[in-house]
Amino acid sequence: MEVDKGLKKKVLITGAGSYIGQSFIAYAKKYYPENFEIDELDMMGDAWKEYDFSQYDIIYHVAGIAHADVGNVSDETKEKYYQVNTDLTIEVAQKAKEENVKEFIFMSSMIVYGESAPYGKKKVIDEYTVPTPANFYGDSKLQADVAVRELADDNFKVIVLRPPMIYGMGSKGNYPVLAKLAKKSPIFPDVDNERSMLYIENLCEFLCQVMLVRKIRRNAIVLIPQNAEWTNTSVMVTQIANISGKKIVGLKVMRPAVVIGGKMPGKIGGLINKAFGNNCYAHELSKYQGIDYQKSTLEESVKLTEANIVNQKKCVLMLASVASMIDQFNMSNIDILLNMGYRVDVACNFGFGSTCSDEKITELKSKLKEKRCRVLSGGLYT
């Protein structure tokens, strides 16, 4: 594929306010400001049906229901998944084709290949793997996946993306759960598993380049972007902990508990297998000549995600005239604020006027830094 960064494309994202859509808009604006004009369209209700699609080069359809709790749901809820994930997708694609849009991109999912294999059992999806959804959520995505490709012709190109779990700042799903555990728990199972994942900025880079391909030869194609390396859950949790300044110990003795938990019926077993099971795409499925999108390694992506989360936190400035006021009266208040999720900066006169000794002030600064508080001393943060 030949990417032409001189092209200009007008893109409509059908599904306003989505995590992926908002991330793509921000990324394209930052790194491809001259290439894209991007709008969003709310798909709630029927007003979208009157919107003019003909003014766009590309429709990028992200609207859908995800993160299904498939254990115990009503038939009405299942029907809702088919209405949104399947029927709505097909309607949007048909409208795009009728109004002479040249390209339709649909956000499908790895879920069309079923659930993760339990811990200890390998699962690598390759070019010969046939999609076999394990539940109504996966089936609703697959039915749309197949149907929109059947609409493709020489004048209406259809691209289906089947990414693995997407993570980054603000993402939902397993990543924020793992991140919370990494920052709270002193121990974690040391497991030996493999999972395909996709950092949100790697996805956005992939989208930008695919949209700027000079000529799409196939009328319909399935693309599978993923990170350059597979993820080990324990390694990722350790990285998150280290970046967050926390200590966590990986315990191999917990592996039997993971095995047993993964065999439990219902929601618990499903959650354990999502976290510790195996679910990979063969690497060769995600390599496309002319497309260079795997910009961030796993370690780099975790650093970027956690750094952005820290920067997004609300900050409290703890201000006092002298260091002894912080040491004697406000350390517990700082702990309360940190536990509430705030970042805390401390500013006071650490040089003189305090009832604390020099040794005590040095110890206080050390304690504050252990809590990852920024200390304003002499007009500079340390």
Side-chain angles (χ1 to χ4, degrees), residues 26-98:
Y27 188 91
K29 185 176 181 179
K30 182 176 181 180
Y31 294 104
Y32 292 83
E34 303 302 320
N35 298 104
F36 295 104
E37 180 183 342
I38 306 173
D39 295 326
E40 289 183 291
L41 182 62
D42 191 341
M43 305 306 290
M44 299 292 288
D46 293 327
W48 67 270
K49 296 179 181 180
E50 305 303 319
Y51 194 80
D52 180 14
F53 281 14
S54 66
Q55 60 185 304
Y56 296 96
D57 302 298
I58 300 169
I59 302 297
Y60 178 31
H61 186 68
V62 301
I65 307 176
H67 307 296
D69 179 5
V70 300
N72 184 23
V73 297
S74 65
D75 289 340
E76 183 180 356
T77 298
K78 291 180 183 179
E79 181 61 28
K80 186 69 174 178
Y81 273 81
Y82 284 101
Q83 289 173 357
V84 175
N85 290 347
T86 307
D87 300 342
L88 177 63
T89 301
I90 297 169
E91 274 191 87
V92 173
Q94 288 172 332
K95 177 175 169 64
K97 183 175 181 178
E98 290 168 1

Side-chain angles (χ1 to χ4, degrees), residues 13 35 46 57 70 112 115 140 148 150 166 205 212 215 218 221-222 253 278 295 297 302 311 313-314 323 346 362 367:
I13 298 176
N35 298 104
D46 293 327
D57 302 298
V70 300
V112 302
E115 300 287 4
S140 69
V148 295
E150 290 177 345
I166 297 166
E205 180 65 31
L212 295 176
K215 183 179 181 180
R218 297 185 187 180
I221 189 171
V222 174
V253 296
N278 292 281
K295 301 295 186 181
T297 65
V302 171
N311 291 336
K313 283 185 177 180
K314 291 183 179 180
V346 176
T362 300
K367 285 182 179 179

Side-chain angles (χ1 to χ4, degrees), residues 65-68 70 81 85 109 111 135-142:
I65 307 176
H67 307 296
V70 300
Y81 273 81
N85 290 347
S109 170
I111 196 67
N135 52 57
F136 63 89
Y137 169 43
D139 185 58
S140 69
K141 298 296 284 189
L142 181 60

Side-chain angles (χ1 to χ4, degrees), residues 251-264:
L251 299 177
K252 291 183 179 180
V253 296
M254 297 181 71
R255 289 183 180 182
V258 173
V259 174
I260 294 170
K263 293 179 179 179
M264 294 181 67

Side-chain angles (χ1 to χ4, degrees), residues 257-364:
V258 173
V259 174
I260 294 170
K263 293 179 179 179
M264 294 181 67
K267 189 173 182 179
I268 293 176
L271 290 173
I272 289 175
N273 286 327
K274 276 187 178 181
F276 300 110
N278 292 281
N279 201 15
C280 300
Y281 282 126
H283 291 299
E284 55 267 24
L285 290 182
S286 303
K287 296 176 182 177
Y288 305 99
Q289 188 174 3
I291 303 288
D292 178 20
Y293 68 95
Q294 295 165 329
K295 301 295 186 181
S296 297
T297 65
L298 175 65
E299 184 176 2
E300 290 167 348
S301 68
V302 171
K303 286 180 179 178
L304 289 168
T305 299
E306 294 306 311
N308 285 334
I309 289 172
V310 169
N311 291 336
Q312 288 292 313
K313 283 185 177 180
K314 291 183 179 180
C315 183
V316 172
L317 175 62
M318 183 70 70
L319 182 64
S321 57
V322 291
S324 53
M325 178 63 70
I326 300 294
D327 182 55
Q328 296 172 16
F329 300 103
N330 284 295
M331 292 302 285
S332 60
N333 292 332
I334 289 172
D335 287 336
I336 291 171
L337 290 166
L338 291 171
N339 288 332
M340 291 173 65
Y342 290 94
R343 192 179 80 235
V344 179
D345 292 354
V346 176
C348 64
N349 188 338
F350 287 94
F352 57 89
S354 176
T355 59
C356 296
S357 64
D358 291 343
E359 291 79 12
K360 188 68 173 176
I361 289 176
T362 300
E363 182 183 344
L364 171 63

Side-chain angles (χ1 to χ4, degrees), residues 189-289:
D190 182 353
V191 299
D192 184 20
N193 72 329
E194 296 171 328
R195 302 188 67 84
S196 287
M197 295 178 69
L198 181 59
Y199 177 48
I200 184 63
E201 291 200 359
N202 286 345
L203 169 62
C204 291
E205 180 65 31
F206 183 80
L207 285 166
C208 288
Q209 293 191 37
V210 167
M211 290 181 184
L212 295 176
V213 168
R214 184 183 292 276
K215 183 179 181 180
I216 299 175
R217 292 178 174 84
R218 297 185 187 180
N219 291 342
I221 189 171
V222 174
L223 301 179
I224 297 175
Q226 65 174 323
N227 287 345
E229 71 268 57
W230 292 338
T231 301
N232 175 289
T233 302
S234 300
V235 171
M236 173 176 262
V237 167
T238 300
Q239 288 175 342
I240 295 170
N242 290 339
I243 292 165
S244 303
K246 305 293 182 181
K247 291 183 179 180
I248 193 166
V249 178
L251 299 177
K252 291 183 179 180
V253 296
M254 297 181 71
R255 289 183 180 182
V258 173
V259 174
I260 294 170
K263 293 179 179 179
M264 294 181 67
K267 189 173 182 179
I268 293 176
L271 290 173
I272 289 175
N273 286 327
K274 276 187 178 181
F276 300 110
N278 292 281
N279 201 15
C280 300
Y281 282 126
H283 291 299
E284 55 267 24
L285 290 182
S286 303
K287 296 176 182 177
Y288 305 99
Q289 188 174 3

